[in-house]
Amino acid sequence: MLDNSPTANPTPIRSIHTMTTPPHQHSKPLRLLLLHGYTQSGPLFRIKTRALEKTLHKHLRTAFPAQFSGLDFVYPTGPIRIRAADFPAHLNTAGTDERGKDEGAGMKKDGGKEDGDGREEPEAYGWWIRRGSSEPFTYEGIYEGLDGVALELRKAAREGMLFDGIVGFSQGGSLAAMVASLLEPGRRGSFDRLRRKGGMEWPLSFDETAELSIEDEVAGLGQNQSHSNDGKQEERGRGGKYGNGCMHPPFKFCISYSGFGATTNPLYTPFYEPPIKTPILHFLGSVDTIVEEERSMRLVRSCADGGRGGMGKDGKRRERVIRHPGGHIVSTASNYVGFVAEFVGECLGFEDGLKGEGGGQEERVEEMDVPF
């Protein structure tokens, strides 16, 4: 009989990272953590976003030559193995939708295992598994998913290679906003207060003071979340080395592609109350049939800026909700990557300005959007 419980990745959390150019002497490349979508993996997401990486590098190098020193992208793989029974209805185990287009997985079966019924399990991963037939849903394995990201953050802090920002697609976009929220000063106190109203407990793997080995982190702290309410949560949520009680400083920005706000289940309210202060750039596909716009706008409404940025040099307020004509994809078209470069420059305080924003440039084949 098939066991539908989330399955931890049998090997340590895998991640790959790439650097587009060697950093200049005495300078640091822009370091980003990229989170894949449901039924994907870090290596697959890397393949799918190579055009984004190349085009963003070109935009930032052109717009901010004095400050930009290259890109360093890190792609972890979610710790939860997704079994065939947990694939969404629009996908088959080969990662294609009913029309045969690659919409979210694209996972090869090589190395997959057979379930109890003799079916071959896909090589697919996620950050949690949604349970329930209607709202409010629950996210089974969410602590394990958060622990997987915490492992990368703790490793980065230990090696002195902190992340500047986080990027996510679909489920990874939702998780990216959650992680950005967790790293904000005072968020630990919010989890403590809202726990009394049905909110989930604070993920221990994000504590700066947690004495953990790599093996403990990989094994998943989410399986043992019991801890005492000692009245120090608010203090830990603002103190420590980075002023947030966590093992990594707050992100300077977050980018969400087809991301969404969590289910209406009060368990996840602490991520969004108070509203997320970290600047988030939201990309929504006008013909996205996988994530409804209302789910994405739920995340927008959970941000303190309400999807509106600061004033640009032209005197107009910068929009942080960008709609593209595609579907459930990471748009790599040059003009949309130009919005990313402008947003990153604004969040990092780069002084140069974008030259043309890439909107009028001819799009090359390798920069065109590919289905996810």
Side-chain angles (χ1 to χ4, degrees):
M1 185 174 179
L2 181 62
D3 179 6
N4 290 330
S5 62
T7 304
N9 196 335
T11 58
I13 303 300
R14 295 172 297 170
S15 66
I16 59 175
H17 77 274
T18 71
M19 190 176 297
T20 53
T21 57
H24 301 312
Q25 188 176 8
H26 306 306
S27 63
K28 173 182 175 294
L30 178 65
R31 197 158 200 255
L32 303 180
L33 185 64
L34 285 87
L35 307 182
H36 63 78
Y38 189 67
T39 72
Q40 293 185 335
S41 69
L44 177 65
F45 196 39
R46 157 66 175 144
I47 294 172
K48 296 285 188 178
T49 56
R50 290 190 69 178
L52 171 66
E53 186 176 344
K54 292 179 180 179
T55 309
L56 181 58
H57 181 274
K58 180 179 66 176
H59 274 280
L60 290 172
R61 181 186 60 196
T62 302
F64 310 109
Q67 294 97 343
F68 180 61
S69 302
L71 295 173
D72 187 7
F73 283 9
V74 177
Y75 297 83
T77 291
I80 298 176
R81 180 75 175 268
I82 308 301
R83 296 184 170 182
D86 292 314
F87 265 64
H90 67 278
L91 289 175
N92 57 42
T93 56
T96 57
D97 68 4
E98 296 174 352
R99 299 176 299 278
K101 296 179 181 178
D102 182 355
E103 283 284 352
M107 301 304 301
K108 63 182 181 180
K109 293 186 180 180
D110 297 346
K113 298 180 178 180
E114 290 187 354
D115 63 21
D117 297 322
R119 295 176 299 178
E120 188 174 15
E121 291 290 344
E123 188 76 13
Y125 300 89
W127 305 101
W128 63 73
I129 298 176
R130 191 179 76 175
R131 297 300 188 194
S133 58
S134 62
E135 290 282 5
F137 298 104
T138 57
Y139 292 161
E140 185 177 317
I142 189 171
Y143 281 115
E144 287 82 357
L146 290 168
D147 292 348
V149 177
L151 172 63
E152 294 293 339
L153 298 178
R154 195 173 296 276
K155 177 182 177 183
R158 184 168 54 246
E159 297 176 352
M161 301 178 65
L162 300 174
F163 290 102
D164 297 291
I166 188 169
V167 180
F169 168 66
S170 195
Q171 188 188 74
S174 178
L175 179 61
M178 291 180 177
V179 174
S181 170
L182 288 173
L183 294 180
E184 293 181 347
R187 185 64 61 177
R188 174 68 184 266
S190 299
F191 269 75
D192 182 43
R193 291 190 299 272
L194 293 172
R195 181 76 181 96
R196 307 184 188 102
K197 299 180 180 180
M200 62 181 280
E201 293 186 76
W202 174 263
L204 292 177
S205 54
F206 277 73
D207 273 1
E208 179 183 24
T209 56
E211 296 294 336
L212 308 169
S213 68
I214 293 295
E215 292 75 15
D216 289 336
E217 294 180 69
V218 172
L221 294 176
Q223 300 174 18
N224 180 15
Q225 278 292 315
S226 61
H227 57 276
S228 63
N229 182 358
D230 57 9
K232 297 181 179 180
Q233 283 82 351
E234 185 67 35
E235 177 183 350
R236 289 202 299 270
R238 293 188 180 277
K241 182 178 181 180
Y242 302 115
N244 59 356
C246 298
M247 71 306 202
H248 190 284
F251 292 127
K252 300 179 179 70
F253 60 87
C254 171
I255 302 172
S256 172
Y257 288 94
S258 295
F260 50 88
T263 169
T264 57
N265 194 318
L267 275 170
Y268 314 112
T269 301
F271 290 106
Y272 310 110
E273 291 184 11
I276 301 172
K277 294 181 179 179
T278 304
I280 301 180
L281 183 64
H282 311 262
F283 281 91
L284 283 63
S286 60
V287 292
D288 189 340
T289 60
I290 310 303
V291 175
E292 300 87 353
E293 182 170 319
E294 172 55 30
R295 295 176 66 198
S296 293
M297 292 306 297
R298 186 186 299 163
L299 176 57
V300 174
R301 292 191 295 269
S302 298
C303 297
D305 60 19
R308 304 296 298 275
M311 301 298 292
K313 294 182 179 179
D314 57 2
K316 297 181 180 180
R317 188 171 296 278
R318 295 185 176 93
E319 291 291 339
R320 286 184 175 163
V321 179
I322 308 299
R323 291 177 171 82
H324 60 79
H328 199 60
I329 61 172
V330 173
S331 181
T332 58
S334 183
N335 56 326
Y336 290 104
V337 179
F339 286 115
V340 176
E342 180 181 26
F343 173 70
V344 170
E346 175 189 359
C347 294
L348 297 181
F350 287 173
E351 297 177 356
D352 299 311
L354 289 173
K355 298 174 177 60
E357 300 184 9
Q361 298 180 14
E362 182 179 354
E363 188 175 358
R364 298 184 300 178
V365 173
E366 62 268 28
E367 294 173 351
M368 292 182 179
D369 291 335
V370 295
F372 268 67

